C-alpha cells in the first residue's frame, strides 16, 4: 500500500528533529516537512488551511473550534510550552514597580488573542488583581507595521483594543515611550538591544515562573498539533499514528539532551538546567497526551472563555480527535 504524502508544518525544534531527520517514522505517512516560524505557520493554517498536519496556536484553535469552523482537529502533542513571566516588557521610567502598577497603562500586543497573552493576563489577574479592562491595549507588529488579528474577536464590554498608527511598530513605540509596556511571545528588538529604559516587568522572571508553578502545577501550553479534518474522515487511523510518532520523537530528543558527554545544544550548563527542571517539575516535564494535561487545558479554556475569546465554554475533550484521548498499555 502506498503511503500518504502529507505536508507537515512545524517549528525546527529539537523534539521534532528525529522525525525531520527520519529517525522516527509516522506509520503510513511519507512526510514533507516545512519548517517555519509560528507566525507564518499560523497565518497560513488559519487563513488558508495550507497544511495537512500543522502546529497551531492553542488560542486561535480554541476560537475556531468553539465556533465550529476550524479546518483542523487536534492531537495532544504540544510542540511549544513556556512560562510567560518573561513575556511582559516595560518602560522602567514609568513608576511600574509591581505588576499592579500596569493599571491605567498602554500595553502593546502583536495580537490580543495570542496564547502567550491569554496566559499572561491569567496570572496578572489571579496574582495581582489586574483585569483586561484596567489597561488600554494597542495592537500591531513587533518590527513590521501592518500586523492584524488573524482571528475575528468579539471582546467583552470594557476591554479596549485599538490599532497602533499606520507605519508604527510595537518595538519603536516602546523605545520612544509611546507605550508603557509590550506583552507577547517575542522580545521587542529594543529590549534585545539593551534600551536603557526597557526591561522585564518581573525583575527575576524565572523565579517568578518557578514560584507560580509550585503553586499551580501548570506548565502553560502554547501550541498543539492539528490534522486536516477531511484527511481524518478518510483515514481514521491517522490521528493516533501521528500522536505516537511525535511522542517517540520527543522521547528520543530528551534522551539525547540527557547525554551530556558531548552537549547536543549550544549552551553551557545544560545538565544543570535539565536537573533543575526535573527537580521542579518531575521527569516528564514536557508531557504530551491528554490526561497529563487535562488540568492545564481546563484552566486555559476557562480563562479563554471568560475573556470573551471563545464563543462558548469548551471541555478539553472537544479539542482532540477521540482516538488520541487514550493510549494502549503493554
Amino acid at each position: 500500500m502506498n503511503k500518504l504524502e502529507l505536508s507537515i508544518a512545524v517549528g525546527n525544534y529539537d523534539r521534532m528533529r528525529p522525525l525531520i531527520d527520519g529517525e522516527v517514522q509516522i506509520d503510513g505517512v511519507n512526510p514533507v516537512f516545512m519548517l517555519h516560524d509560528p507566525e507564518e505557520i499560523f497565518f497560513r493554517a488559519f487563513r488558508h488551511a495550507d497544511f495537512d498536519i500543522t502546529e497551531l496556536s492553542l488560542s486561535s484553535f480554541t476560537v475556531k473550534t468553539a465556533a465550529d469552523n476550524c479546518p483542523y482537529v487536534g492531537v495532544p502533542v504540544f510542540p511549544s510550552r513556556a512560562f510567560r513571566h518573561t513575556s511582559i516588557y516595560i518602560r522602567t521610567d514609568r513608576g511600574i514597580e509591581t505588576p499592579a502598577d500596569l493599571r491605567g497603562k498602554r500595553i502593546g500586543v502583536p495580537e490580543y488573542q495570542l496564547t502567550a497573552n491569554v496566559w499572561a493576563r491569567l496570572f496578572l489577574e489571579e496574582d495581582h488583581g489586574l483585569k483586561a479592562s484596567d489597561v488600554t491595549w494597542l495592537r500591531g507588529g513587533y518590527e513590521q507595521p501592518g500586523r492584524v488579528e488573524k482571528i475575528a474577536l468579539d471582546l467583552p464590554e470594557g476591554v479596549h483594543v485599538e490599532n497602533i498608527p499606520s507605519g508604527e511598530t510595537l518595538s519603536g513605540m516602546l523605545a520612544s515611550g509611546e507605550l508603557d509596556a509590550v506583552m507577547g511571545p517575542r522580545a521587542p528588538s529594543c529590549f534585545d538591544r539593551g534600551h536603557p529604559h526597557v526591561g522585564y516587568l518581573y525583575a527575576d522572571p524565572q523565579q517568578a515562573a518557578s514560584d507560580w508553578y509550585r503553586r499551580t502545577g501548570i506548565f502553560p501550553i502554547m501550541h498543539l498539533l492539528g490534522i486536516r479534518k477531511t484527511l481524518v474522515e478518510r483515514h481514521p487511523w491517522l490521528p493516533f499514528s501521528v500522536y505516537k510518532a511525535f511522542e517517540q520523537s520527543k522521547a528520543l530528543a530528551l534522551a539525547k539532551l540527557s547525554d551530556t558527554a558531548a552537549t547536543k545544544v549550544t549552551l553551557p550548563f545544560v545538565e544543570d538546567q535539565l536537573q533543575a527542571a526535573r527537580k521542579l517539575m518531575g521527569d516528564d516535564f514536557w508531557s504530551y497526551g491528554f490526561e497529563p494535561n487535562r488540568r492545564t487545558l481546563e484552566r486555559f479554556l476557562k480563562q479563554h472563555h471568560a475573556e470573551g475569546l471563545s464563543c462558548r465554554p469548551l471541555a478539553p475533550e472537544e479539542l482532540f480527535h477521540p482516538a488520541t484521548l487514550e493510549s494502549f498499555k503493554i
Side-chain angles (χ1 to χ4, degrees):
M1 183 177 70
N2 293 331
K3 291 185 175 183
L4 298 177
E5 184 166 292
L6 302 180
S7 60
I8 303 179
V10 291
N12 192 9
Y13 316 124
D14 65 342
R15 46 206 170 273
M16 300 297 176
R17 290 308 316 185
L19 276 162
I20 296 164
D21 296 339
E23 295 177 88
V24 173
Q25 301 291 321
I26 305 172
D27 294 341
V29 172
N30 180 24
V32 178
F33 281 99
M34 302 180 185
L35 307 181
H36 301 302
D37 287 336
E39 289 89 346
E40 178 175 351
I41 293 174
F42 301 162
F43 181 86
R44 294 174 62 182
F46 287 116
R47 285 296 185 99
H48 307 292
D50 274 358
F51 313 111
D52 296 316
I53 300 171
T54 183
E55 188 173 347
L56 294 170
S57 156
L58 177 58
S59 177
S60 300
F61 177 78
T62 300
V63 171
K64 295 187 74 65
T65 298
D68 296 320
N69 63 1
C70 188
Y72 295 99
V73 63
V75 174
V77 166
F78 308 112
S80 177
R81 307 180 77 131
F83 293 105
R84 287 309 184 183
H85 294 74
T86 57
S87 292
I88 308 169
Y89 307 87
I90 62 167
R91 289 285 306 196
T92 57
D93 56 354
R94 300 295 165 84
I96 304 172
E97 302 295 333
T98 71
D101 295 330
L102 289 171
R103 188 171 283 105
K105 296 295 192 289
R106 290 161 53 89
I107 303 179
V109 290
E111 293 179 48
Y112 185 81
Q113 61 84 36
L114 292 183
T115 310
N117 293 341
V118 176
W119 283 115
R121 288 191 295 266
L122 184 154
F123 61 70
L124 286 175
E125 182 171 353
E126 286 189 346
D127 290 353
H128 308 288
L130 186 78
K131 298 180 180 179
S133 56
D134 291 335
V135 306
T136 298
W137 303 94
L138 286 299
R139 182 173 52 200
Y142 277 111
E143 313 297 337
Q144 295 177 314
R147 181 168 177 174
V148 297
E149 199 90 46
K150 73 176 75 67
I151 301 290
L153 303 178
D154 183 15
L155 299 176
E157 185 176 352
V159 176
H160 183 64
V161 181
E162 59 187 65
N163 295 324
I164 64 175
S166 175
E168 298 284 356
T169 66
L170 298 181
S171 182
M173 293 180 70
L174 186 63
S176 68
E178 297 170 89
L179 294 174
D180 301 302
V182 164
M183 175 192 293
R186 292 181 183 272
S189 61
C190 63
F191 173 84
D192 287 336
R193 292 195 302 268
H195 190 288
H197 298 303
V198 174
Y200 280 131
L201 171 65
Y202 291 91
D204 188 344
Q206 183 174 341
Q207 185 61 52
S210 297
D211 291 344
W212 187 71
Y213 180 82
R214 290 187 185 96
R215 288 185 284 113
T216 66
I218 291 175
F219 182 20
I221 294 168
M222 297 295 125
H223 307 163
L224 77 163
L225 202 68
I227 306 177
R228 197 193 304 274
K229 283 181 177 178
T230 53
L231 264 176
V232 173
E233 290 167 1
R234 296 197 303 271
H235 309 287
W237 50 267
L238 185 58
F240 189 82
S241 293
V242 167
Y243 167 74
K244 182 176 71 171
F246 276 77
E247 180 69 80
Q248 290 171 349
S249 183
K250 182 199 69 173
L252 186 53
L254 284 172
K256 292 179 179 181
L257 187 64
S258 300
D259 179 7
T260 55
T263 304
K264 305 302 184 293
V265 295
T266 313
L267 186 69
F269 311 118
V270 170
E271 55 268 52
D272 295 334
Q273 291 290 333
L274 190 57
Q275 184 180 31
R278 286 174 169 155
K279 182 178 180 180
L280 176 66
M281 304 170 66
D283 288 340
D284 191 17
F285 54 83
W286 199 296
S287 60
Y288 290 173
F290 178 71
E291 281 301 332
N293 291 286
R294 178 194 288 272
R295 184 166 167 270
T296 297
L297 292 163
E298 286 175 341
R299 188 63 196 89
F300 176 84
L301 293 173
K302 180 180 178 181
Q303 178 73 17
H304 199 268
H305 180 63
E307 290 195 350
L309 298 176
S310 39
C311 62
R312 64 181 178 89
L314 286 173
E317 291 87 345
E318 294 182 74
L319 300 179
F320 305 108
H321 190 274
T324 64
L325 297 178
E326 57 185 359
S327 185
F328 64 91
K329 304 290 185 183
I330 296 177

